[in-house]
């Protein structure tokens, strides 16, 4: 049985992917330093290593202990990154240094294949949508820079014959496991759908819309929402293509190709939860483009992947998850 190392497997998308790998008959070793991870979402059937990627000796021991066939690399600092002087060095250390250690240990142990968790934030504010993979990459925050740098490093490792990779650039990850085994647990929470559902649960007084004067039909920002079960499936497809040697160095968008405005998310959530919560329009948030929608043509062509969950299913599964946390 193939054993897959899932770094960051105690996180939101990592745990969903670990569950899917197990369902597909892989063995899973979750590696997480539990800085942002949650014990409750580590699948019982997975092996678990509480290990920091920055500790290269410890990391090497994990590879010595387990016969790792490939890596799926989620582990990263928080996606909302403070650029304050005191936070920045440790962010770079946790992310870039940890990632370089991982690549070095893979080289040493002759593990060739990796699926890397990247982001639509590599594009920054695009000139047009839908966003295709070859469009300019101009990240506007540290999170986006580090993910893009890592993609560049992977490309170098590939040219040197050390690593084959697929970098998956997620658009707005959302939803929860259909069987309620894992879901979104960010702290602090900043993402729209969980905040909306927490408002429906009366954990918040109201939901704020960050600006309704954008260049969209209802004035609120449009995003491409994609369910974590669909993302998880894409990781396993990418892994299979790497094992088959059909992909060796690719960056692929994961989005639905469809966009929903902030207002339409709120309206759909009101319909599903049957709660009429308070909504207030407030100032724009810095760095929010009007519209971010993926071209999903490459994912369809190279991975034969397309999302199965629609918006209703995204909000329903997320709602069940949030209610289960009560
Ligand atoms: N948003 C909002 N109110 C909130 C949180 C988010 O209006 O309390 C908006 C945000 O400005 C963006 C969209 O919802 O246009 C999605 O934001 P989120 O933080 O979920 O994901 P992002 O697109 O920033 O990765």
């Amino acid at each position: 049985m193939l054993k897959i190392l899932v770094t960051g497997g105690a996180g939101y998308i990592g745990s969903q992917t670990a569950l899917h790998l197990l369902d597909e008959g892989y063995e899973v070793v979750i590696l997480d330093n539990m800085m942002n991870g949650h014990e409750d979402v580590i699948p019982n059937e997975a092996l678990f290593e509480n290990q920091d990627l920055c500790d290269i000796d410890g990391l090497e021991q994990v590879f010595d202990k387990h016969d790792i066939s490939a890596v799926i690399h989620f582990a990263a600092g928080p996606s909302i990154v403070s650029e304050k002087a005191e936070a920045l060095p440790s962010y770079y250390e946790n992310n870039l240094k940890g990632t370089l250690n991982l690549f070095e240990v893979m080289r040493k142990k002759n593990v060739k294949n990796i699926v890397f968790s990247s982001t639509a934030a590599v594009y920054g504010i695009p000139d047009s949508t839908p966003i295709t993979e070859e469009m300019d990459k101009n990240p506007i925050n540290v999170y986006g820079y580090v993910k893009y740098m890592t993609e560049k490093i992977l490309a170098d490792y590939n040219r040197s014959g050390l690593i084959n990779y697929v970098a998956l650039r997620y658009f707005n990850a959302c939803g929860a496991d259909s069987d309620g085994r894992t879901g979104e647990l960010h702290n602090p929470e900043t993402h729209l759908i969980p905040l909306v559902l927490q408002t429906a649960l009366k954990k918040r007084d109201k939901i704020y819309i960050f600006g309704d004067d954008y260049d969209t039909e209802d004035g609120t920002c449009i995003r491409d929402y994609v369910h974590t079960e669909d993302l998880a499936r894409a990781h396993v497809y990418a892994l299979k293509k790497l094992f088959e040697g059909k992909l060796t160095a690719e960056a692929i968008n994961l989005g639905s190709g469809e966009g929903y405005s902030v207002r339409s998310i709120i309206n759909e959530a009101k319909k599903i939860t049957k709660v009429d919560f308070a909504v207030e329009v407030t100032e724009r948030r810095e760095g929010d483009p009007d519209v971010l929608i993926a071209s999903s043509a490459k994912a369809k062509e190279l991975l034969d992947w397309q999302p199965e969950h629609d918006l209703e299913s995204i909000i329903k599964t997320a709602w069940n998850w949030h209610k289960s946390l009560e």
Side-chain angles (χ1 to χ4, degrees), residues 172 190-192 195 208-210 221 223 225 262 285 288:
N172 289 58
T190 62
H191 293 110
L192 179 64
L195 289 176
Y208 292 97
I209 295 180
F210 297 148
C221 289
R223 295 288 177 273
Y225 294 88
V262 174
R285 195 174 66 174
D288 264 339

Side-chain angles (χ1 to χ4, degrees), residues 103-125:
F103 296 168
E104 170 56 12
V105 175
M106 285 175 70
R107 184 194 65 75
K108 236 171 147 174
K109 305 294 171 191
N110 202 24
V111 176
K112 285 258 185 237
N113 294 321
I114 183 165
V115 179
F116 173 58
S117 161
S118 189
T119 170
V122 299
Y123 299 107
I125 299 178

Side-chain angles (χ1 to χ4, degrees), residues 33 35 52-55 75-77 87-102 142 146:
N33 67 0
M35 233 166 70
D52 199 314
L53 290 173
C54 288
D55 164 19
L88 199 58
S90 73
Y91 185 79
Y92 269 100
E93 171 142 345
N94 283 334
N95 288 281
L96 270 186
K97 187 174 165 188
T99 295
L100 289 173
N101 284 349
L102 177 65
V142 179
V146 172

Side-chain angles (χ1 to χ4, degrees), residues 49-60:
E49 297 285 352
N50 189 334
Q51 174 65 46
D52 199 314
L53 290 173
C54 288
D55 164 19
I56 195 163
D57 295 335
L59 181 61
E60 203 172 326

Side-chain angles (χ1 to χ4, degrees), residues 175-249:
D177 181 56
S178 300
D179 297 322
R181 297 168 294 177
T182 188
E184 204 159 1
L185 276 173
H186 295 119
N187 191 15
E189 189 52 75
T190 62
H191 293 110
L192 179 64
I193 293 177
L195 289 176
V196 165
L197 297 176
Q198 286 173 1
T199 313
L201 284 169
K202 312 278 181 232
K203 289 184 173 167
R204 294 172 191 272
D205 295 342
K206 56 178 94 158
I207 183 79
Y208 292 97
I209 295 180
F210 297 148
D212 68 350
D213 56 351
Y214 285 93
D215 187 15
T216 62
E217 207 167 300
D218 68 16
T220 65
C221 289
I222 293 181
R223 295 288 177 273
D224 184 335
Y225 294 88
V226 53
H227 197 288
T228 49
E229 284 184 340
D230 287 323
L231 296 179
R233 211 161 34 81
H235 288 76
V236 177
Y237 289 176
L239 195 64
K240 285 183 178 156
K241 297 283 181 192
L242 285 167
F243 282 137
E244 291 164 5
K246 290 191 175 141
L247 295 180
T248 54

Side-chain angles (χ1 to χ4, degrees), residues 17 30 171 181 318:
T17 303
I30 286 180
F171 281 65
R181 297 168 294 177

